[in-house]
Amino acid sequence: MSTDDTTTETDASTSNCGAASTTDSSSESKCGASSSTDSSSSSCGASESTEEKVGSTADDFDADPGKLTAVGLGPGQPKGMTERAKGALADAEHIVGYTTYIDLIPDDITDDAEAIYDTPMCGEVSRTEEAIDRALAGNDVAIVGSGDPNVYALAGLALEIVESKGATASALDFEVVPGVPAAQSCGARLGAPLVNDSVSVSLSDHLTPMPEIESRLHAVAGEGFTISIYNPWSRKRRENFQKACEILLAHRDADTPVGIVHGAGREDEEVELTTLGELESYGETDLVDMTTTVVVGNEDTYVFDDRMVTPRGYETKYDY
Ligand SMILES: C[S@@+](CC[C@H](N)C(=O)[O-])C[C@H]1O[C@@H](n2cnc3c(N)ncnc32)[C@H](O)[C@@H]1O
């Protein structure tokens, strides 16, 4: 079932904790958690407060808990998804996720699920709580995200909420099914930029204040890591991208190779090789947005035949 179908089949009026064949695209919890969950004011903007609160506790559920699995979908298209991820989704009775991510799941899997709960961007606390409540109510639930659940994603939040509800990860048989993270998908499209020590930095100040992000960038740029920049740009915080470019340029030469990958593994994939000196000028183009990862080379990174290469150091020991 595609999300186009899910919108037409939305049924927000019935209880869905154990619902069969019901697709629910509403942001209201159906498992007793909605009364104290307020995600409507959250827009993921840095300046807006998020008032999402965890509502029901483990004691509110009588059923034997089902299984909760955090599944990483990889970069985008089904062929980028692991067999294990597909199997975990096929085994799940309920699949929960951000609408864009639900759209990435093959139709034959969503068609077979008993229920799909998808909500628009943000509201990640209430969406994760919904997944947990559905599992506590006895359903086998998969909560999905792009890339890997451990990379700026919901695996940690799920465990934190399970704990705050007085439940246990063991009771829910909680499992993380890894997916290919954006840095690796994008690195592959660029050649071999991540072969030596590398780190990821997110420019989203939704949860981490910008001064903290700036100091982390200074630290990693100064240490010479290859850097994968997640969440590089959004209209609400275009200055974060500018600031990041300034910080990187304070530590690295303007001709340092930079790879920009938009929508790796998706239909709108675009790849651009540029330099650190030029990077800021891409901030106002369609290439750099919330589905873009920017890979900044280290001092040894070079471009060979349109591919970024970061030597691992073999050349210091071997002749070739
Ligand atoms: C909230 S993070 C999620 C990361 C994800 N869990 C992972 O492992 O890649 C979202 C960011 O991941 C990056 N991203 C996700 N999918 C991408 C793709 N297909 N191509 C390029 N970057 C992507 C972008 O930087 C985006 O802003």
Side-chain angles (χ1 to χ4, degrees):
M1 169 188 322
S2 70
T3 304
D4 288 339
D5 298 326
T6 67
T7 7
T8 53
E9 290 179 26
T10 294
D11 178 358
S13 61
T14 50
S15 169
N16 288 337
C17 284
S21 306
T22 300
T23 298
D24 178 6
S25 299
S26 110
S27 59
E28 280 178 51
S29 167
K30 299 297 176 297
C31 294
S34 62
S35 54
S36 58
T37 300
D38 177 6
S39 60
S40 58
S41 62
S42 169
S43 66
C44 300
S47 57
E48 309 202 23
S49 68
T50 301
E51 295 179 18
E52 295 187 66
K53 297 187 200 78
V54 168
S56 51
T57 70
D59 291 341
D60 297 329
F61 297 88
D62 296 329
D64 287 338
K67 180 172 171 57
L68 179 65
T69 311
V71 181
L73 301 178
Q77 289 169 343
K79 64 183 175 191
M81 214 178 279
T82 66
E83 285 303 311
R84 192 172 157 211
K86 286 182 193 163
L89 293 172
D91 289 346
E93 293 161 340
H94 293 206
I95 302 177
V96 175
Y98 165 36
T99 305
T100 302
Y101 298 157
I102 295 284
D103 272 344
L104 298 175
I105 302 172
D107 287 354
D108 57 331
I109 294 177
T110 46
D111 284 344
D112 284 349
E114 283 180 22
I116 304 290
Y117 179 83
D118 64 301
T119 59
M121 203 169 167
C122 308
E124 57 264 50
V125 174
S126 56
R127 192 166 58 234
T128 306
E129 184 179 14
E130 179 72 24
I132 293 164
D133 284 351
R134 285 172 185 243
L136 288 171
N139 306 289
D140 289 338
V141 179
I143 182 162
V144 301
S146 75
D148 184 87
N150 261 294
V151 182
Y152 307 119
L154 298 181
L157 179 62
L159 281 174
E160 290 173 46
I161 295 178
V162 166
E163 185 180 12
S164 77
K165 282 178 177 289
T168 64
S170 310
L172 288 166
D173 197 10
F174 178 75
E175 187 184 11
V176 177
V177 174
V180 181
Q184 274 59 42
S185 299
C186 297
R189 295 299 292 115
L190 293 164
L194 301 174
V195 175
N196 213 334
D197 295 340
S198 67
V199 295
S200 298
V201 175
S202 166
L203 297 191
S204 169
D205 55 13
H206 173 47
L207 299 170
T208 306
M210 194 54 195
E212 177 65 31
I213 295 171
E214 288 175 24
S215 100
R216 290 176 190 178
L217 255 185
H218 274 295
V220 298
E223 288 299 328
F225 296 108
T226 305
I227 305 171
S228 299
I229 300 179
Y230 280 72
N231 304 106
W233 195 90
S234 89
R235 262 187 301 282
K236 282 186 193 154
R237 48 178 177 73
R238 39 172 40 105
E239 65 283 357
N240 293 11
F241 185 70
Q242 290 157 5
K243 188 72 200 172
C245 293
E246 280 170 31
I247 291 172
L248 290 162
L249 273 170
H251 295 275
R252 299 191 183 183
D253 293 342
D255 63 0
T256 302
V258 169
I260 303 173
V261 183
H262 175 272
R266 302 191 192 176
E267 279 171 10
D268 57 350
E269 178 181 283
E270 272 186 81
V271 180
E272 180 84 18
L273 279 179
T274 183
T275 61
L276 192 52
E278 295 296 318
L279 181 58
E280 191 179 334
S281 66
Y282 287 90
E284 299 297 324
T285 68
D286 290 345
L287 191 62
V288 179
D289 65 13
M290 290 301 285
T291 49
T292 301
T293 299
V294 176
V295 178
V296 180
N298 69 16
E299 62 182 1
D300 298 323
T301 305
Y302 63 97
V303 175
F304 161 63
D305 197 16
D306 284 338
R307 271 80 168 169
M308 282 174 82
V309 187
T310 301
R312 172 79 176 87
Y314 289 103
E315 77 285 1
T316 63
K317 291 214 156 202
Y318 302 94
D319 287 331
Y320 49 85

